[in-house]
Amino acid sequence: MSAIVSGFPSPNVTWSKDNKLWDNTFKKVGGNVVNEMRLFQLNRSELFATFHCKAQNTKLSPPVTRTIVLDLYLYPVSVRITTKSTALSAGLPIEMACESAGSRPNARITWWLNGTQLSSHSETVHDNVTSSTLRLLPKLQHHRSPLLCRADNPKLFNSHLEDVRLLNITCG
């Protein structure tokens, strides 16, 4: 992030983070004063960090301040099929549940059975947890097939996490 200001006399330009001095290195470029703040290796704790840029050239007038609140895209940190693992009866509909936490924006959850994406599910979001409920009609040919719940952040590349359950299907 760069702050470019001008004034007479030349102002001091500083950055603070959460009201603590972060960067007070600035340089003169042409008739302007520039302070470039670079952020590297951001992590989850930086979400909503508040940065203030302050330009001040005299104690006789108040400083000019601009504020930036940092928003981040975050990878999901967990995904889990939460439905108890039990034998399923062929031909009897069942609902399977899956939850993912940590993604920003909210995770997108998809369900896969034996490599085929399923569409009969719904999603809800509460706080930082995305929940999905799949309506499944088990068939005998699904026995020992992998049922996969996948959570990903659609804004981030290669962000998916998966939980897999091998289905145990019995005759109804």
Side-chain angles (χ1 to χ4, degrees), residues 9-35:
S10 292
N12 292 334
V13 181
T14 59
W15 285 98
S16 61
K17 177 186 174 214
D18 299 327
N19 295 317
K20 294 179 185 160
L21 182 63
W22 182 265
D23 183 351
N24 64 354
T25 60
F26 52 88
K27 59 187 173 193
K28 291 183 181 181
V29 178
N32 296 319
V33 177
V34 178
N35 184 330

Side-chain angles (χ1 to χ4, degrees), residues 6 21 31 47 49 141:
S6 60
L21 182 63
L47 181 63
Q141 66 259 32

Side-chain angles (χ1 to χ4, degrees), residues 78-84 95-101 107-111 121-124 129-134 147-151 161-165:
S78 67
V79 64
R80 186 171 64 93
I81 297 174
T82 57
T83 304
K84 184 178 175 185
E95 289 188 343
M96 302 288 288
C98 181
E99 289 183 351
S100 176
R108 170 182 54 198
I109 294 181
T110 54
W111 289 88
H121 64 96
S122 59
E123 280 185 16
T124 59
V129 176
T130 303
S131 302
S132 177
T133 302
L134 171 70
L147 177 67
L148 185 139
C149 175
R150 176 182 292 164
L161 295 177
E162 301 173 342
D163 191 17
V164 179
R165 168 105 28 105

Side-chain angles (χ1 to χ4, degrees), residues 1-165:
M1 294 182 273
S2 293
I4 303 171
V5 295
S6 60
F8 183 80
S10 292
N12 292 334
V13 181
T14 59
W15 285 98
S16 61
K17 177 186 174 214
D18 299 327
N19 295 317
K20 294 179 185 160
L21 182 63
W22 182 265
D23 183 351
N24 64 354
T25 60
F26 52 88
K27 59 187 173 193
K28 291 183 181 181
V29 178
N32 296 319
V33 177
V34 178
N35 184 330
E36 281 189 355
M37 180 179 60
R38 297 179 186 268
L39 303 173
F40 299 98
Q41 297 179 340
L42 296 171
N43 59 50
R44 292 177 177 275
S45 67
E46 306 295 336
L47 181 63
F48 300 131
T50 303
F51 292 90
H52 300 282
C53 176
K54 182 170 75 171
Q56 186 168 21
N57 61 356
T58 176
K59 300 231 182 237
L60 299 176
S61 60
V64 175
T65 304
R66 296 293 180 260
T67 301
I68 296 172
V69 177
L70 197 59
D71 198 357
L72 301 173
Y73 291 150
L74 299 172
Y75 289 90
V77 294
S78 67
V79 64
R80 186 171 64 93
I81 297 174
T82 57
T83 304
K84 184 178 175 185
S85 184
T86 61
L88 306 177
S89 297
L92 290 179
I94 186 163
E95 289 188 343
M96 302 288 288
C98 181
E99 289 183 351
S100 176
S103 181
R104 183 166 173 83
N106 301 318
R108 170 182 54 198
I109 294 181
T110 54
W111 289 88
W112 302 77
L113 179 59
N114 219 12
T116 301
Q117 187 171 354
L118 305 174
S119 60
S120 59
H121 64 96
S122 59
E123 280 185 16
T124 59
V125 177
H126 182 68
D127 291 333
N128 200 354
V129 176
T130 303
S131 302
S132 177
T133 302
L134 171 70
R135 290 163 301 287
L136 180 67
L137 183 63
K139 297 178 183 173
L140 277 177
Q141 66 259 32
H142 295 151
H143 183 66
R144 307 277 308 144
S145 293
L147 177 67
L148 185 139
C149 175
R150 176 182 292 164
D152 74 300
N153 182 329
K155 299 283 188 180
L156 297 172
F157 176 73
N158 200 22
S159 67
H160 68 275
L161 295 177
E162 301 173 342
D163 191 17
V164 179
R165 168 105 28 105

